[in-house]
Amino acid sequence: MRDTFTETATALLDDDPRTALVLADISASSFAPAAGRHPDRVLNVGIREQLMVGVAGGLALTGLRPIVHSYATFAVDRVYEQLKLDLDHQGVGAVVVSVGASYDGSSMGRTHMSPGDVALLDTLTDWTVHVPGHPDEVPALLRAAANHDDRVYLRLSTATNDLPRPAAGRLMVVHRGTVGAPLVLAVGPMLDPVLHAVTGLDVTVAYTHTPRPFDAAGLRELVGTPSPAAPAVVLVEPYLAGTSSAEVSGALAGVPHRLLALGVGRTDLRRYGSPADHARWHGLDAPGLRRSISAFLD
Amino acid sequence: MTTTATAPDLMVTPATRNRRAGRPARLGPLLRRLTGDEKHAPSAHSTLDVLWVLYDRILRVSPETADSPDRDRFLLSKGHGPAAYYAVLAAKGFFPEDWLDDLAGPESRLGHHPDRTLVPGVEIGTGSLGHGLGLGVGTALGLRAQGLDLPRVYVLLGDAELDEGSNHEAIAYAGATGLATISAIVIDNQSASHGWPGGIASRFTVHGWTAHTVDGRNHDAIETALTSRRPDRPHVVVAVVEPKE
């Protein structure tokens, strides 16, 4: 996904003079060719993330469309107040593109992990959040984001599904169970582990790469007219567990339902290892998901 | 104080100019409408003289050009205590003077920190310290990228505001890249808890900015300091006023 982002952003910088890229050293070498062609619009401020977002706010105030890029923990966690004040409060936007989703940087330890990025953005105003599940979903999302002035977060991961589903801006049914079957919502790269986990279960699986704005209407439609038993909804997100619980609750206000929210745990595990190891430890690999979902539905 | 031949910190003393006129008498009543304070003189507002010189003599912006891409930008980074800012904007006609009568009221557009979306002429909403210089650097870069060479970006900070590390990210970057279309003005009322040993200007000049330190009440000195800059470097004016009470 990171390479796809580099290629698409480089093309955007060539094609659209309104776009500008702001970096804080991360990925600067990948964008060296673009920087050579557009020295005024490819800006590497050094290891200065507060300035990275402040500069983006200033660029947007002059009418440009800034793309900000770093590790999630530096592009969101570290600069939370800059996102809040230099973008939201000024009434301007940017496209924030992160790598190092959740525990993608597990071998580098907790300092390079950011499972809480989407939850942090949920405290701010009108952020669109894209969590692509495949590299081929990235170009259209980035191009669309570059074409307006709103606030967009594009969360890139090394975890990917086998197949791209570019049209999944709203909830898209990937596997349909019987009428009234429990509903499993998979966000971004959680789809393939979910599909493996529910093999043989009577559930409907819906997918989206765009959890914000949350597709409340789509969820209500999928839940349909509640049967006598309260419908069961399972939310599987690749970031902090429960991040979208409030969205599901809001969408189903007045509809009796049961909700299981799965995602990354809050605890600093103080372990390195691979992203696959962390998926297992957080119960987000296929066997772990199977255990949680089966226990919930039993 | 760190002073080099290429990045001078020039002390423009009050003696270099002798005219101290310029601040109009009507600013006093405007300030009193905002604050209800009959006791303190207008000079109790540390930023007042610098703001007046900027809007009266320096900035190429008016109510008519407040949205023009080619206007100069003034960014009040030190967003707290904006009474002087509001008084100057009202005096220059950016908004009606009767807006001053209900500061921070439930229907007021003017609060104790300014909001750019509520007040004509206000370029950025501030209050939390240390945001204006980064936004100013971005604004200068955005103007440059669009070929808008005429506008200049002015950012006003306080000496205590410089405690915030975000300022130093912007100071270092602007200096290293020779971002010559930005000017910072630091109102120095000696309010930083731990002071700035070696002076404030040196924090800028060490990164390649040019700097002037002036009497922050002397209008001609302020004007001279703001306009005496080099075409290839960012510029800072440290405006010294009375210590904060």
Side-chain angles (χ1 to χ4, degrees):
Chain A
M1 286 191 202
R2 190 176 186 171
D3 291 342
T4 313
F5 160 64
T6 306
E7 291 162 18
T8 308
T10 297
L12 275 169
L13 289 160
D14 288 341
D15 298 343
D16 183 354
R18 215 172 67 92
T19 55
L21 178 68
V22 194
L23 304 171
D25 270 7
I26 300 295
S27 299
S29 58
S30 303
F31 283 103
R37 289 195 296 279
H38 314 291
D40 283 348
R41 289 189 292 119
V42 178
L43 304 160
N44 176 17
V45 300
I47 307 169
R48 298 184 176 98
E49 288 85 9
Q50 297 183 78
L51 181 63
M52 173 176 71
V53 179
V55 163
L59 294 172
L61 285 168
T62 70
L64 293 183
R65 182 55 165 165
I67 300 169
V68 172
H69 169 62
S70 188
Y71 269 77
T73 192
F74 308 134
V76 179
D77 304 38
R78 188 177 184 119
V79 294
Y80 172 76
E81 197 189 64
Q82 275 71 27
L83 298 174
K84 173 189 165 192
L85 297 182
D86 297 354
L87 297 175
D88 282 34
H89 184 56
Q90 306 308 329
V92 297
V95 189
V96 176
V97 182
S98 73
V99 291
S102 290
Y103 40 68
D104 281 359
S106 56
S107 66
M108 294 181 281
R110 178 70 172 178
T111 59
H112 283 58
M113 298 184 196
S114 174
D117 51 352
V118 178
L120 283 167
L121 293 174
D122 267 350
T123 68
L124 302 177
T125 311
D126 294 336
W127 280 81
T128 292
V129 176
H130 298 305
V131 183
H134 189 281
D136 290 354
E137 295 171 3
V138 172
L141 294 174
L142 182 60
R143 286 188 172 278
N147 213 22
H148 57 76
D149 287 315
D150 297 337
R151 292 178 283 278
V152 178
Y153 182 54
L154 179 56
R155 186 184 205 259
L156 307 181
S157 180
T158 51
T160 70
N161 303 317
D162 282 345
L163 295 175
R165 292 172 179 82
R170 303 186 60 190
L171 288 170
M172 166 192 276
V173 173
V174 177
H175 172 79
R176 196 175 286 280
T178 58
V179 173
L183 179 63
V184 183
L185 307 179
V187 175
M190 293 316 303
L191 177 61
D192 277 7
V194 162
L195 289 174
H196 286 114
V198 301
T199 303
L201 298 181
D202 180 21
V203 297
T204 292
V205 177
Y207 167 74
T208 186
H209 53 55
T210 301
R212 300 289 181 280
F214 187 78
D215 183 10
L219 175 59
R220 280 192 295 272
E221 196 176 313
L222 285 169
V223 167
T225 308
S227 57
V233 178
V234 180
L235 184 60
V236 187
E237 301 180 278
Y239 34 80
L240 207 59
T243 299
S244 293
S245 292
E247 297 286 347
V248 172
S249 293
L252 299 181
V255 180
H257 65 281
R258 300 195 298 134
L259 173 65
L260 173 66
L262 301 175
V264 181
R266 277 189 157 69
T267 308
D268 176 358
L269 299 180
R270 299 190 184 280
R271 296 180 79 173
Y272 299 96
S274 69
D277 291 327
H278 281 257
R280 191 171 70 253
W281 295 330
H282 288 282
L284 295 177
D285 62 341
L289 291 169
R290 175 84 179 197
R291 278 193 302 276
S292 299
I293 293 171
S294 296
F296 179 64
L297 297 180
D298 274 350
Chain B
M1 182 169 298
T2 303
T3 303
T4 68
T6 53
D9 173 25
L10 302 174
M11 184 71 189
V12 181
T13 65
T16 57
R17 294 288 192 93
N18 51 24
R19 188 164 66 94
R20 194 180 165 125
R23 188 207 296 157
R26 70 178 185 282
L27 282 176
L30 292 177
L31 282 164
R32 279 194 289 280
R33 287 175 74 166
L34 272 163
T35 62
D37 182 353
E38 304 288 337
K39 195 172 61 179
H40 291 92
S43 60
H45 299 269
S46 63
T47 58
L48 183 62
D49 290 283
V50 165
L51 286 167
W52 183 256
V53 170
L54 279 164
Y55 277 90
D56 198 52
R57 304 189 189 182
I58 302 288
L59 295 172
R60 297 167 33 266
V61 65
S62 66
E64 293 72 35
T65 62
D67 293 316
S68 162
D70 236 3
R71 71 189 184 279
D72 284 340
R73 268 65 164 184
F74 172 72
L75 280 58
L76 181 74
S77 186
K78 191 192 88 69
H80 65 281
Y85 186 37
Y86 293 149
V88 169
L89 287 174
K92 288 294 183 183
F94 284 88
F95 55 79
E97 292 183 3
D98 60 15
W99 286 21
L100 303 174
D101 296 329
D102 183 32
L103 180 66
E107 305 301 326
S108 178
R109 289 175 166 269
L110 308 183
H112 292 294
H113 301 116
D115 183 333
R116 68 177 292 271
T117 69
L118 298 179
V119 191
V122 168
E123 298 281 2
I124 57 169
T126 46
S128 180
L129 297 174
H131 286 266
L133 205 52
L135 286 166
V137 168
T139 300
L141 291 167
L143 294 167
R144 185 179 76 186
Q146 295 171 79
L148 294 165
D149 298 328
L150 204 54
R152 189 162 185 85
V153 179
Y154 296 84
V155 183
L156 190 146
L157 309 102
D159 65 301
E161 182 180 10
L162 287 178
D163 288 359
E164 294 284 1
S166 52
N167 292 301
H168 300 273
E169 295 189 5
I171 292 167
Y173 175 75
T177 56
L179 188 62
T181 51
I182 192 165
S183 288
I185 304 107
V186 181
I187 302 292
D188 180 7
N189 63 352
Q190 298 100 67
S191 60
S193 289
H194 300 284
W196 288 104
I200 289 170
S202 67
R203 267 71 196 184
F204 292 82
T205 55
V206 73
H207 292 291
W209 293 56
T210 50
H212 289 297
T213 299
V214 298
D215 173 357
R217 299 299 184 188
N218 185 312
H219 290 201
D220 291 337
I222 294 166
E223 180 186 12
T224 300
L226 284 167
T227 52
S228 304
R229 53 171 202 265
R230 289 175 42 157
D232 58 345
R233 290 160 182 270
H235 186 58
V236 64
V237 173
V238 180
V240 181
V241 298
E242 312 76 27
K244 188 180 182 184
E245 289 180 13

